[in-house]
Amino acid sequence: ACFRLLCSLLIPALFLSGVLCVCLVVLLWGVRLWIQQRKKQLTSAGKDGKRPLLVAFFHPYCNAGGGGERVLWCAIRTLQKKYRNVTCVVYTGDRGATGEEIVEGAFRRFNIKLTHPVKFVFLEKRYLVEASLYPHFTLLGQSLGSVFLGWEALLKCVPDIYIDSMGYAFTLPLFKYLGGCRVGCYVHYPTISTDMLSVVRNQDTRFNNAAFITNSPLFSKFKLAYYYFFAFMYGLVGSCSDVIMVNSSWTLNHILSLWRAGACTSIVYPPCDVQTFLDIPLEEEKSTREYSIVSVSQFRPEKDHPLQIRAFAKLLKEKRLGQQPPLKLILIGGCRNQQDEEHVNNLKRLCEELGVSNNVMFRINIPFEELKRHLAEATIGLHTMWNEHFGIGVVECMAAGTVILAHSSGGPKLDIVVPYEGHTTGFLAENEDNYAETMAYILSLSPEKRLEIRENARRSVHRFSDQHFEETFLLSVEPLFK
């Protein structure tokens, strides 16, 4: 009797599940056909009668001034130089600026001049990927938000080739299976990494793992389960990509373990405007000048500016420098939104609390020429992000001739601040004390010794040039154009 009851319940359930699956497949196939029809209506032939190949980049914050944006504009310039019948499209949420202003901003900030016009598709729902919208389950919320934003993008413009250049992997299956596009991605930073899993597992307090969670074994176990589920989903959507480019050895290791798509994954180092910085004359320091320590990175919590300020305050407080010239810390970076501006205000308050306001300067969204001038005058280049995926600011500091001091993790440790031909190219540190001690050590070196380190660093950065990026980028994306 029990067996008959089970069969009477199971068979209809299986039948219903099958019908629902068929309906879902038919629905998705219908949506795909509708989108393909829409694509024909939205695109027109060029002057030669041929329809241009549409290559779209998903970059909702394309008008921000960070390293990710430099990659975007260099990638577009590279494709424009290589392929004649290509029209580049950028999906952006920067509705406060016109397309002309965005292109002008790219030239002003990064010294990148595009050879052909770019088509901008302005998205209205960018707020869906703002972290502030999801105080809890932020990773999941932003990822689901990116799917809705991607859907808006797909409805407004259906490309032939889709490249996610900002880390929204959950948009990849949308464009591949519904849009019928060939898809690629450039991964700056994994949305979730095995390091993040270990932070929760070990109950470490970090900017993305609050103290109330680390203090509770139950909350920690729940968050770990949530992270493992998210990592599984992230691996599933990421493996949809036909071409995967990563920016460093550190990112490569994480993406290989999460996406398991080694055959189509390659390292493409970000393009750093090495030559422009190498044009700065490398002179021996004058003993009477003021020493400046410069930091170049966007004003975001993960960049850990408070560590820079505290280490600098410690350096000043311990008066290790004796009678040496005065010191100043210059924090240079981009602000994308109100959240970033609030972060800057918090940093300024920290400076006041530590009594170093007169020695710390904030330079926000500055023109490229001013950035170059600050780096030319600096003695030390400072970078404090834990597990920085690459670190364009680190390379720029080294090319400009500063003595770099970066965090002993991620890209700086594995790819950038490494010995070159057996010689020192810079220094690494891990905590407030390390940073203060190492800054004091660098400043205690003779100008001749500092010059030697600066020269070694300069020679080592040619592997991060625009030209090297162009070659490796074109090699990686070639399968998308076949």
Side-chain angles (χ1 to χ4, degrees):
C2 285
F3 179 73
R4 280 202 302 273
L5 178 65
L6 193 66
C7 285
S8 67
L9 291 172
L10 192 62
I11 291 168
L14 287 172
F15 177 74
L16 187 62
S17 299
V19 169
L20 287 173
C21 285
V22 170
C23 288
L24 184 63
V25 169
V26 170
L27 177 66
L28 291 174
W29 186 251
V31 171
R32 181 182 166 117
L33 289 176
W34 175 68
I35 287 172
Q36 293 306 307
Q37 196 61 38
R38 189 177 174 83
K39 179 179 180 177
K40 289 175 185 173
Q41 293 168 355
L42 290 174
T43 54
S44 55
K47 292 175 184 175
D48 58 357
K50 292 180 182 176
R51 194 181 66 81
L53 195 71
L54 285 184
V55 181
F57 291 84
F58 191 75
H59 208 105
Y61 295 91
C62 76
N63 204 29
E69 287 66 59
R70 186 164 215 288
V71 171
L72 169 71
W73 301 117
C74 271
I76 289 172
R77 183 179 64 183
T78 303
L79 292 181
Q80 287 182 344
K81 284 198 288 190
K82 169 77 174 175
Y83 298 101
R84 289 189 178 179
N85 195 38
V86 157
T87 296
C88 289
V89 178
V90 177
Y91 297 118
T92 178
D94 293 301
R95 292 186 298 145
T98 64
E100 291 78 12
E101 286 169 344
I102 292 171
V103 171
E104 170 58 32
F107 177 65
R108 186 169 47 84
R109 288 180 186 139
F110 306 118
N111 202 30
I112 294 171
K113 196 161 185 67
L114 302 179
T115 53
H116 300 292
V118 171
K119 180 183 175 185
F120 288 93
V121 174
F122 291 94
L123 306 175
E124 293 172 22
K125 295 182 177 63
R126 188 176 72 179
Y127 64 89
L128 291 174
V129 296
E130 294 276 358
S132 56
L133 194 64
Y134 312 100
H136 306 293
F137 301 101
T138 311
L139 294 180
L140 190 61
Q142 284 183 291
S143 297
L144 291 174
S146 74
V147 174
F148 287 102
L149 190 64
W151 177 248
E152 182 193 347
L154 187 58
L155 290 183
K156 287 185 173 178
C157 175
V158 186
D160 299 291
I161 295 170
Y162 170 80
I163 298 174
D164 163 43
S165 52
M166 212 179 158
Y168 294 108
F170 282 74
T171 62
L172 293 168
L174 187 70
F175 278 82
K176 183 169 185 173
Y177 299 118
L178 292 185
C181 312
R182 282 158 279 169
V183 300
C185 60
Y186 188 97
V187 184
H188 297 274
Y189 196 83
T191 306
I192 191 164
S193 66
T194 49
D195 287 331
M196 289 166 70
L197 290 168
S198 68
V199 163
V200 179
R201 196 185 302 113
N202 299 333
Q203 293 180 252
D204 293 339
T205 303
R206 297 262 178 177
F207 78 91
N208 59 350
N209 197 38
F212 79 89
I213 290 175
T214 60
N215 295 334
S216 165
L218 180 66
F219 282 159
S220 288
K221 282 186 174 65
F222 179 76
K223 185 167 184 177
L224 191 61
Y226 157 58
Y227 266 20
Y228 272 116
F229 166 74
F230 185 83
F232 170 75
M233 294 301 295
Y234 183 59
L236 214 58
V237 297
S239 61
C240 294
S241 195
D242 301 310
V243 164
I244 302 163
M245 294 167 279
V246 298
N247 64 346
S248 69
S249 304
W250 182 85
T251 308
L252 176 72
N253 295 335
H254 288 287
I255 289 299
L256 287 178
S257 69
L258 290 165
W259 292 12
R260 303 184 187 280
C264 56
T265 307
S266 57
I267 295 178
V268 178
Y269 286 129
C272 307
D273 196 4
V274 170
Q275 195 52 54
T276 303
F277 290 106
L278 291 175
D279 290 341
I280 298 170
L282 200 60
E283 298 168 355
E284 197 168 305
E285 304 159 18
K286 298 173 180 67
S287 57
T288 55
R289 71 180 191 143
E290 178 182 55
Y291 285 124
S292 68
I293 298 166
V294 170
S295 158
V296 183
S297 56
Q298 282 190 307
F299 288 105
R300 304 205 305 260
E302 63 268 30
K303 297 297 182 181
D304 207 353
H305 289 91
L307 174 56
Q308 299 178 7
I309 295 165
R310 288 195 301 270
F312 180 70
K314 190 161 226 168
L315 181 68
L316 291 179
K317 187 179 177 184
E318 295 187 8
K319 300 185 185 297
R320 302 181 190 184
L321 306 173
Q323 299 301 309
Q324 289 196 17
L327 264 178
K328 66 179 173 185
L329 174 63
I330 304 169
L331 304 177
I332 300 171
C335 270
R336 303 163 301 170
N337 48 38
Q338 192 181 345
Q339 203 174 356
D340 289 354
E341 286 165 16
E342 285 170 12
H343 183 56
V344 170
N345 291 332
N346 290 336
L347 294 173
K348 287 178 178 175
R349 279 193 286 273
L350 178 62
C351 291
E352 286 169 16
E353 287 168 22
L354 296 172
V356 294
S357 293
N358 294 336
N359 299 81
V360 181
M361 281 174 61
F362 288 83
R363 307 298 297 130
I364 299 160
N365 296 333
I366 61 172
F368 182 76
E369 284 305 313
E370 190 181 339
L371 165 68
K372 194 173 163 182
R373 179 170 57 78
H374 283 300
L375 285 175
E377 294 169 357
T379 301
I380 297 174
L382 196 59
H383 199 272
T384 47
M385 181 175 169
W386 171 71
N387 271 341
E388 169 71 272
H389 40 298
F390 179 72
I392 286 182
V394 175
V395 175
E396 288 176 345
C397 285
M398 290 167 74
T402 69
V403 179
I404 191 68
L405 174 55
H407 199 280
S408 185
S409 63
K413 182 183 182 179
L414 295 174
D415 294 308
I416 307 172
V417 191
V418 294
Y420 181 72
E421 295 178 353
H423 300 293
T424 302
T425 57
F427 298 90
L428 299 167
E430 288 184 1
N431 54 45
E432 192 179 314
D433 289 334
N434 285 163
Y435 272 98
E437 285 163 12
T438 312
M439 282 190 283
Y441 173 73
I442 293 167
L443 294 168
S444 73
L445 294 171
S446 67
E448 294 79 24
K449 182 61 183 171
R450 275 200 295 267
L451 183 62
E452 187 186 311
I453 295 168
R454 292 157 69 205
E455 286 171 342
N456 294 337
R458 276 195 153 187
R459 282 195 293 271
S460 76
V461 297
H462 285 285
R463 62 214 158 99
F464 307 122
S465 64
D466 284 4
Q467 186 183 351
H468 191 261
F469 168 82
E470 288 180 7
E471 290 165 4
T472 51
F473 177 77
L474 286 174
L475 206 61
S476 297
V477 297
E478 200 177 344
L480 298 176
F481 289 85
K482 286 179 178 175

